[in-house]
Amino acid sequence: MLARNGWLGNNEGSWHKPSICISIRHHNHNQDITMKPTLCSTLIAGLFVVAAHAGAAAPSGIDTAAMDPAVRAQDDFFRYSQGKWLKDVDIPSDRASWGAFNVAQENVEGQIRTLIDSAAQDQHVKAGSDQKMGDFYASYIDEARRNALGLAPLKAEIARIEALRDKRGLATLVAQLSRIGVGTPVEMNVHQDNKASTRYIVDLAQSGLGMPNRDYYLQADDAKLAATRAKYQVHVEKMLALAGHQDAAAIAERIVALETDIARVQWSAVENRDPVKAYNKLSFAQLKQLAPAFAWDDYLKQLGAAGKIDSLIVSQPSYLQGLDKLIGATPLATWKAYLQFRLLSTYAPYLSQPFVDESFAFRGTVLSGASVNRPVQKRAIAEINRDLGEVVGKVYVSNYFPAERKRQVETMVQNFLLAFKEGIETLDWMTPATKAQAQVKLAKIKVKVGYPDKWRDYASLTIARGDLVGNVMRSRAFAQRFEVAKLGKPVDRSEWGMTPQTVNAYYNPEMNEVVFPAARLQSPLYDADAEPAINYGAVGISIGHEISHAFDDQGAQFDGDGNLRNWWTKEDSEQFAARGKVLVAQYGGYSPLPGYPLNGALTLGENIADNAGAIMASRAYKISLKGQPAPVIDGYTAEQRLFMGLAQARRGKARDAALIAQVKADPHSPSEFRVNGSLRNHPGFYEAFGVKPGDKMYLAPEQRVIFW
Ligand SMILES: [Zn+2]
């Protein structure tokens, strides 16, 4: 089980499935997806870091060497600002995508490697963070031991599955697997009640697929997805064969058939974005009526939630009904095989080399397009970052995040909040009544920068050298216990949904807070000495983006206290929806690959945040000038530099397989459209670069859309 943080899906970057804390609610966290379509990040890494590829950046901070002089800014700003980089830089073979975000993450991982290396060397350290980080790392990179153990570390769990004698026991088994992070058809989250945000509640959501989402199983008219399905079945077969099954092919067929049945009753990614539709509060008795074939008492007891709840949220009621029918209709042997495969699939990366290789062959190569796996040391650090999140975070910030930087960024965020306040006042399409409500919400936004004030206590988590699978299982169970322990307690507003070493940021509507982890404010990512205009584009875009999430099509349905409550007049609500329709159509007209247009409805929230965030960056920059004129540097006006910063920070490219996964399942648009798509609606961009009718970036004024 991963961290449950409600609507944390509203992060600025990409969909980091395996990361502990970016849980996109209703987004099936436990579906074992390991690809990282990171190209969509808004991150700030780009210019200061990537400039190094062709020498130093110009005084303006612009990476002029990355630009393509053959492309006009007015025709394709994304390629104008970084066309040469896009042509010259290859995606590393162990990556699905590459860009500013990845460079930043690599830097942070290097810093953490230094910390962990020193912790891992001393076998005699027997206490505290060093012991946990050091022994976890040692257990991960000890490939000789992993190979010697083979499947043995999963023996007890496999025996438990084999011992299942009737369908009544399915619920207990599902809960036990779910507790150690295995993706099962139902997942339980604990988060704030969206209509009573001062209390925690349990949420049940669909999950349990091995491919990114239902489209991969069901879409019949897509040759690439059909090929992926065929490869998936072969992958399931190979994994079962590795685990010693004689009739692996026949079993694999039944498993994929069951997953396809599960996919058929799941909600689509677009349906799952609707917080009102997904808010279905049921009493425990009603839940049992809804899906009687599943032993809910046993399930909740096993997860430690029994007796702590009188009602819960069912995100997708029709899914639970469908699943209920599938429990009746599918033979017990198929359920057992399916659950064993889910276990294998989740834990293969921590087993012997054949399992690691087969897991990568499908998840890394087929689903994401990478040709070689990342080195074991890097995989180890990623795992420790996830499982020992705040253990690492605490050591990381004490070494790499000075207090002064926290204050600097907090000041910058205040300028953005001021910019948003001004923006609301000047909106021409909104009535004063709704404006007043929006201001109330804005004034209640809480800002968190760098790291938590209060650290999570990991004392009860045992990490043992030489027991990698055990370490992972105990860590996942620890995280799950942490979530369930919240039930019945007051909401902890000091909690963080991302670790400080995460190169990303988020808005959480339940807490009404924007959160900027230290790792994304790290030099050279954040440069306090850099010329301000470029910082307001490169760094500010993500600040504006996150604040805008409070007012995107999802966020705007929550009030300042984190409750799902409609504070809009009917008229304004209709105006907002009409603007949404225009944006859905605009982005639906963009295709990163022929035949794979963006899903304008799936990406609407992120696109609104990109659009509003860019406008807010311009406005916040003007506020920061305090009436002083801005200089021209390297021949660029301040506004031009801001847009260059914005675009170069979002540089990125991805392999086709990763792009397809992104288009199907990720609420973020690919980088190119995050830049060009939002600037085409930005009046300041037209002024800054003199965009005119006939230019390819040009949209007629009546086709442009401004939300905030
Ligand atoms: Zn976002």
Side-chain angles (χ1 to χ4, degrees), residues 9-13 505 545-546 549 605-606 609-610 668 674:
N10 286 332
N11 61 84
E12 72 168 317
H545 175 101
E546 298 310 336
H549 270 314
E606 295 300 330
D610 284 342
H668 301 85
R674 296 191 73 169

Side-chain angles (χ1 to χ4, degrees), residues 19-191:
S19 159
I20 184 162
C21 285
I22 310 173
S23 61
I24 298 177
R25 187 173 163 213
H26 312 139
H27 213 134
N28 313 330
H29 340 273
N30 279 347
Q31 290 188 359
D32 289 350
I33 308 308
T34 55
M35 76 270 180
K36 294 186 177 186
T38 44
L39 74 168
C40 50
S41 159
T42 66
L43 291 203
I44 50 187
L47 34 189
F48 308 115
V49 176
V50 191
H53 89 92
S60 59
I62 294 171
D63 179 5
T64 48
M67 298 170 67
D68 185 346
V71 180
R72 293 175 67 239
Q74 297 81 356
D75 285 337
D76 181 347
F77 194 71
F78 186 68
R79 286 182 182 75
Y80 163 79
S81 61
Q82 55 208 308
K84 189 160 184 337
W85 182 89
L86 288 167
K87 277 185 221 155
D88 291 352
V89 175
D90 289 327
I91 300 171
S93 52
D94 62 353
R95 295 292 192 154
S97 59
W98 191 246
F101 181 103
N102 308 85
V103 173
Q105 193 66 51
E106 286 269 306
N107 289 355
V108 172
E109 285 178 6
Q111 292 168 327
I112 291 170
R113 173 92 190 265
T114 308
L115 300 171
I116 289 178
D117 267 348
S118 69
Q121 268 160 20
D122 186 359
Q123 292 204 41
H124 304 293
V125 176
K126 290 293 175 215
S129 305
D130 279 359
Q131 183 274 324
K132 285 192 168 65
M133 294 193 305
D135 284 353
F136 205 136
Y137 185 74
S139 73
Y140 203 109
I141 63 167
D142 188 353
E143 292 181 301
R145 178 167 173 77
R146 289 170 56 170
N147 288 334
L149 288 171
L151 190 63
L154 292 185
K155 228 173 132 189
E157 295 302 324
I158 290 173
R160 215 204 289 264
I161 297 169
E162 293 298 339
L164 184 67
R165 289 287 164 264
D166 55 55
K167 287 180 185 171
R168 170 83 201 173
L170 208 50
T172 297
L173 192 55
V174 162
Q176 282 162 342
L177 290 168
S178 172
R179 222 171 57 82
I180 55 169
V182 175
T184 55
V186 186
E187 69 172 33
M188 188 188 86
N189 303 319
V190 174
H191 62 92

Side-chain angles (χ1 to χ4, degrees), residues 502-699:
T502 308
V503 185
N504 209 333
Y506 67 88
Y507 170 74
N508 177 356
E510 291 174 353
M511 295 271 193
N512 192 26
E513 64 180 8
V514 285
V515 184
F516 303 96
R520 68 164 331 295
L521 309 167
Q522 171 73 282
S523 176
L525 308 187
Y526 172 79
D527 187 346
D529 300 325
E531 185 276 320
I534 199 153
N535 268 335
Y536 269 84
V539 182
I541 181 56
S542 71
I543 299 175
H545 175 101
E546 298 310 336
I547 295 171
S548 301
H549 270 314
F551 303 97
D552 72 15
D553 65 315
Q554 285 181 328
Q557 298 183 58
F558 291 78
D559 66 17
D561 298 317
N563 287 311
L564 200 47
R565 178 178 70 81
N566 186 0
W567 45 268
W568 293 67
T569 65
K570 189 168 174 290
E571 181 190 352
D572 291 324
S573 195
E574 284 166 4
Q575 282 280 345
F576 188 78
R579 279 165 172 72
K581 271 195 183 137
V582 176
L583 208 65
V584 166
Q586 260 186 33
Y587 280 74
Y590 302 136
S591 296
L593 289 172
Y596 291 90
L598 301 188
N599 182 336
L602 174 62
T603 54
L604 179 60
E606 295 300 330
N607 296 336
I608 291 173
D610 284 342
N611 275 263
I615 288 175
M616 236 42 74
S618 297
R619 193 176 282 130
Y621 174 67
K622 284 197 187 91
I623 290 171
S624 79
L625 288 174
K626 298 194 168 98
Q628 297 299 309
V632 172
I633 305 176
D634 293 337
Y636 296 95
T637 67
E639 274 282 289
Q640 289 174 335
R641 296 196 301 277
L642 186 148
F643 292 121
M644 289 298 290
L646 184 155
Q648 291 196 333
R650 281 181 172 170
R651 76 173 44 155
K653 61 203 291 191
R655 299 182 191 282
D656 287 358
L659 275 176
I660 291 172
Q662 184 174 4
V663 167
K664 291 291 170 198
D666 192 322
H668 301 85
S669 299
S671 315
E672 173 184 352
F673 308 107
R674 296 191 73 169
V675 173
N676 287 352
S678 59
L679 297 186
R680 295 182 84 197
N681 293 309
H682 191 323
F685 177 73
Y686 285 76
E687 281 170 35
F689 287 93
V691 181
K692 301 219 159 36
D695 296 335
K696 293 200 178 78
M697 291 288 291
Y698 182 84
L699 276 176

